[in-house]
Amino acid sequence: MRAFTEPLQELEEFQKIQQALKKQSIQVTGCIDAQKAHFIYAAGAAKKKLIVTYSELRAKELCENYRLFDKNVLFYPAKDLIFYSADVQSNLLVQRIRVLQKLMEEEEVTIVTTMGGIMDHLLPPEVFQKQVETVESDSEFDMELWKKKLTAMGYERVGQVEGSGQFAVRGGILDIFPLTEENPVRIELWGDEIDSIRSFDVESQRSIENLDSIRIYPACEFTADDGRIKKGLAVLEKEAKRLADQFFQERKTEESARLKAFAEEVKQSLTQWKQMSVLDGLAPYFYDRMVSFAEYFPKEALVVLDEPNRLWEEAQAIEKEFRESMTNRLEKGYVLPGQMNILYSGEQVAATLEKNA
């Protein structure tokens, strides 16, 4: 790729930009859209780069342009924070988990995202990392324990694995389709030890490759053990009761009943059905600390803001739409007050990006 960067290195202005980047944040103007990917690739020597742009269409276009210079570039899609219950089952979740995997396992990677992607709350990197499990061949394996573990990690138990985020058990065989893998994996036991680990084709069920080990990432962005669930539900139910009583006193009986039903549904989903995806819109009740996507990048990473003024406008638009929608749903008893905190404000995002700059 030196053929693409050497011409730029001969320009005095470009050399000044590179020198300035080593010491401070800078603003560069006059670069047309078609040249931005080339410029970003050549300008930054950082091993990890975060490019934030103003729309999903622009992010995908920028990602494709950047791939000409570096194939190790991924698009991180924003979560639908208003209709999160539908979003958690989408292919976008798979994309986001795979991006988090790259950030944790790859030394060099470039991620392109939007303001919506930056404004979402996530678990701190060190907490998310602890939820990743490694399985190695010839090691001991407790099938009963792993059934519970995979369920807690957000995986769905099925009769036969057909898609990402599923697992199936047949005697001493565990099939699992990790979100970060292109093919499912079959773990065969000999007694209490792993006899073999191999990937296989979903359609034919034929083995593809023998593996020495496999890393299994959660099938959702938020998971919790029984203790955390119990503690979080206590806080959630207390707030739901307070608000339901308030609705009742205001003669809003429909809203009061709706909120009680919502709280009960959440409780059943987490305690009986172990549906970890429910946590996605209720994270503030179950976690004391969350971070933005930007905090998954090290201090030395290169952060590029594509057209800052448009980014700020987009942040304000996202925040306004979110606040108006959630306030309306809160007044009707569809959500709880704590759910208003699943979005970072434009000011918080700006502060985070400035800290990482």
Side-chain angles (χ1 to χ4, degrees), residues 46-50 70 72-74 99 102-104 106-111 297:
K47 292 184 177 180
K48 290 185 177 177
K49 300 186 181 86
L50 170 63
D70 183 0
N72 202 14
V73 56
L74 295 171
V99 167
K102 285 284 186 180
L103 286 172
M104 292 184 170
E106 299 284 338
E107 188 176 350
E108 297 185 29
V109 65
T110 299
I111 308 298
F297 290 79

Side-chain angles (χ1 to χ4, degrees), residues 125-137:
E126 64 276 10
V127 176
F128 185 78
Q129 179 72 60
K130 290 179 181 178
Q131 298 178 352
V132 181
E133 297 285 349
T134 301
V135 180
E136 297 180 341
S137 186

Side-chain angles (χ1 to χ4, degrees), residues 116-129:
I118 294 291
M119 294 174 77
D120 180 31
H121 279 79
L122 294 172
L123 289 179
E126 64 276 10
V127 176
F128 185 78
Q129 179 72 60

